[in-house]
Amino acid sequence: MNRMMILPVTVATVAAICVAALGATITDLGPWYQGLAKPAWNPPDVVFPMGWTLIYALITIAGINAWRAARTSAQAEWVISLFALNGFLNILWSIIFFRMQRPDWAFVEVIGLWLSIVVLIVYCGRFSKSAGWLLLPYLGWVSFAGALNWAVVELNGPFG
């Protein structure tokens, strides 16, 4: 690995691991979650960590590709900022859904998370087509999670 790759790879990998670890720590599949009515199409709980592992790997590679392909330092800073915002929104969803036990508020928040992914795809895809493509599974995953979130709200609300 050449020296030009060390910083983007290190930063993207550490950031993805931190977001994933924090999200996993916040996620509580205890009695409250187990007691929620879920739709018949809800996958088994074991699917989520496997899916998120793949998604975070793709996000990391997309971030590295976009950062390296940025033509200016300002573009590279925007890449980092947009990924940071997205990571924050990702963690915030877990806090709202699992810790605050407010799937209704989490659904509103997941719309912001989804939009942040669209912005990442469009912005990064302008100078790194591969980054844009690598983020599409993330958009699909969050779309599915949003639909599942809405189903939980419909089956269990009102909350609070």
Side-chain angles (χ1 to χ4, degrees):
M1 179 181 311
N2 70 31
R3 297 177 88 192
M4 295 283 295
M5 284 291 292
I6 292 172
L7 185 61
V9 169
T10 303
V11 170
T13 302
V14 169
I17 289 170
C18 288
V19 170
L22 190 53
T25 302
I26 293 166
T27 301
D28 180 2
L29 301 181
W32 174 81
Y33 177 76
Q34 295 304 323
L36 290 172
K38 298 174 196 78
W41 46 272
N42 185 66
D45 292 341
V46 70
V47 170
F48 291 99
M50 292 186 302
W52 276 115
T53 299
L54 175 60
I55 294 299
Y56 279 119
L58 294 173
I59 292 168
T60 302
I61 296 166
I64 293 165
N65 287 350
W67 189 3
R68 291 204 62 237
R71 293 179 213 97
T72 67
S73 60
Q75 285 179 336
E77 289 171 9
W78 270 103
V79 167
I80 293 167
S81 297
L82 291 172
F83 274 97
L85 173 62
N86 178 265
F88 170 77
L89 292 172
N90 195 312
I91 292 166
L92 183 60
W93 182 89
S94 294
I95 291 170
I96 296 169
F97 189 96
F98 290 105
R99 295 297 172 172
M100 296 173 68
Q101 298 180 352
R102 292 301 304 250
D104 50 348
W105 294 353
F107 179 75
V108 173
E109 195 280 345
V110 83
I111 295 168
L113 174 60
W114 190 90
L115 289 171
S116 77
I117 299 166
V118 171
V119 169
L120 276 170
I121 290 168
V122 171
Y123 184 76
C124 296
R126 289 178 24 202
F127 41 86
S128 173
K129 298 289 184 225
S130 65
W133 286 108
L134 287 166
L135 291 168
L136 286 176
Y138 182 27
L139 185 65
W141 184 259
V142 170
S143 297
F144 176 77
L148 189 57
N149 188 156
W150 178 250
V152 167
V153 170
E154 287 286 300
L155 292 169
N156 297 278
F159 293 93

